[in-house]
Amino acid sequence: MTSAWRPRPELWALDPAVLHLNHGSWGAVPRAALDAAASLRAESEANPAAWFRSLPSRVAAARRELARWVGADEDGFALVPNVSAGVTVALSAVDVPAGGRIVVTSHCYGAVRFAAERFARLRGATVVEVPVPLTASADEVVELVSPAIEGADVVLLDQITSATATVFPVSSLVALCRAAGVPVIVDGAHAPGLVASPAAVGADFWTGNFHKWACAPRGTAGLVVAPEWRSRTLPPVVSWAEHAAALPDRFDWQATADYVPWLAAPASLAVLDTLAWPALLPDLVSMLDDGAAVVAAALRTSVPVLAAPAPAMRLVALPPSVRIEDKAAEEALRGRIARDARAEVNVTVHEGRGFLRLSAHAYNGARDYELLAARLPALL
Ligand SMILES: Cc1ncc(COP(=O)(O)O)c(C=O)c1O
């Protein structure tokens, strides 16, 4: 095991009796941001009317800070509650005619694919899925997706894939889409915190979660819209800001809602700064690589060799005897591991093969993976 890594679990409020190895699904909010959110919530309840009056300038300030953090043009960066909302907004803005094509890859996040299917249904269009093998190189991904760009009405790409924990070559793919005049939406759900300047890929639409790797309170995501789309891109909820001229202002007010997560999100970014994130990533990744290998050895399986693994997530193959036929089986296995191994992990499937997806954040240490390795063989 690497010795350079020093975990900082004391900065989080996570239950120490549980192995928390699924940061990628829901994130985890550090104590300092929980405190900031609690204090904002107390303020809002002390005088709701004053709270809502104070929101416009405070939301705008938080939004600008989040925009800068992901390298986005502040005039094109809007707040949304999550990437699912961001994708829904983007798909609502693009023209897909009857008979048109919405292109996705076989790594597309399930719920985002549902969004593509809903819009295809509404418009009499079809979703075209490009199969991309698990271990495809960047060049192979580009080669496989390129032919589908011609004739597409919109292309939906993952920046970091969910089930397969892979970094996709989005810059090259976005450039191809732009050259072909085909609008491209980038699902950057995992990118803030894991990719440098993730919003700067030049897509027509980019959306990313701050409540994953940036550890913001849940309900905090960004949508970056290229200049030519800004006037026609409308918020997920129709409310008083509907006719605001500037895109970010239109999204700042989403009716009576909980704005605390957006205002507390900068406190999470401050924690990452004190941890020297992202400079610490190489040591974290090396610890995760070792940990994933220990788990794979215990299961007598392997860590698939991916061309571009996501920095802080690793797949470990499940033994062939473990059959994951459907979503319910995925959920059942997650639940069994949570109950019997006291471990939170993700279970994913790609091309019919089942994997554990193990995450690492600043609170994880080598011991987490060693304990998982010790507990899993008895129950798989
Ligand atoms: C690649 C990808 N896209 C979209 C989402 C959806 O994120 P949210 O539930 O925050 O909308 C996720 C969530 O894990 C994801 O991994």
Side-chain angles (χ1 to χ4, degrees):
M1 288 286 170
T2 177
S3 57
W5 178 247
R6 295 277 172 269
R8 301 293 306 276
E10 75 282 4
L11 298 180
W12 274 262
L14 293 162
D15 179 355
V18 174
L19 305 176
H20 299 279
L21 298 169
N22 189 14
H23 189 94
S25 286
W26 314 113
V29 184
R31 287 181 195 279
L34 293 176
D35 291 346
S39 142
L40 288 163
R41 193 152 279 120
E43 180 191 338
S44 75
E45 293 308 332
N47 185 344
W51 166 257
F52 279 98
R53 260 197 315 277
S54 80
L55 282 181
S57 60
R58 296 166 93 179
V59 167
R63 174 193 8 102
R64 284 193 209 101
E65 187 168 346
L66 294 174
R68 283 193 295 273
W69 206 76
V70 291
D73 166 7
E74 288 176 29
D75 294 338
F77 178 97
L79 288 169
V80 284
N82 45 52
V83 158
S84 302
V87 167
T88 305
V89 164
L91 282 169
S92 310
V94 294
D95 289 319
V96 178
R101 293 149 69 97
I102 301 175
V103 170
V104 301
T105 77
S106 54
H107 296 243
C108 184
Y109 183 73
V112 167
R113 184 176 171 126
F114 286 166
E117 288 171 359
R118 180 200 280 188
F119 282 89
R121 229 172 21 245
L122 288 172
R123 290 159 182 183
T126 47
V127 174
V128 176
E129 178 184 295
V130 179
V132 174
L134 178 66
T135 54
S137 67
D139 286 349
E140 286 165 343
V141 176
V142 171
E143 217 168 280
L144 289 163
V145 176
S146 297
I149 293 173
E150 291 301 328
D153 294 284
V154 60
V155 175
L156 190 41
L157 296 171
D158 294 79
Q159 200 163 15
I160 296 182
T161 64
S162 173
T164 49
T166 297
V167 183
F168 260 19
V170 283
S171 296
S172 311
L173 292 168
V174 164
L176 288 175
C177 291
R178 302 282 282 183
V182 175
V184 55
I185 302 169
V186 172
D187 170 352
H190 289 274
L194 292 189
V195 172
S197 298
V201 287
D204 295 271
F205 300 88
W206 171 94
T207 179
N209 279 330
F210 290 87
H211 54 225
K212 287 188 187 288
W213 299 95
C215 298
R218 285 164 211 93
T220 309
L223 171 69
V224 176
V225 180
E228 60 270 35
W229 295 99
R230 288 178 193 165
S231 62
R232 59 187 290 185
T233 301
L234 298 172
V237 174
V238 185
S239 188
W240 290 105
E242 178 75 355
H243 300 295
L247 172 107
D249 300 351
R250 214 150 55 229
F251 283 68
D252 276 358
W253 179 252
Q254 300 200 2
T256 309
D258 183 7
Y259 293 86
V260 164
W262 293 353
L263 299 195
S268 297
L269 305 186
V271 172
L272 295 190
D273 275 354
T274 63
L275 287 165
W277 190 283
L280 58 64
L281 270 172
D283 287 339
L284 179 71
V285 170
S286 149
M287 187 276 298
L288 173 62
D289 277 332
D290 290 346
V294 168
V295 175
L299 295 180
R300 297 176 187 281
T301 65
S302 60
V303 175
V305 181
L306 307 182
M313 295 187 283
R314 284 294 170 279
L315 299 181
V316 173
L318 283 165
S321 56
V322 179
R323 316 276 324 154
I324 314 276
E325 309 290 0
D326 52 23
K327 276 275 160 216
E330 265 180 47
E331 198 50 51
L333 183 55
R334 267 182 222 121
R336 199 149 63 80
I337 294 172
R339 188 191 62 214
D340 298 344
R342 298 287 279 154
E344 296 296 342
V345 300
N346 200 2
V347 173
T348 70
V349 175
H350 187 74
E351 295 165 350
R353 295 167 64 194
F355 302 97
L356 299 179
R357 191 192 72 190
L358 304 180
S359 295
H361 209 288
Y363 51 81
N364 289 121
R367 183 101 184 109
D368 293 332
Y369 307 86
E370 288 161 3
L371 287 171
L372 181 70
R375 294 174 191 173
L376 273 185
L379 61 118
L380 288 183

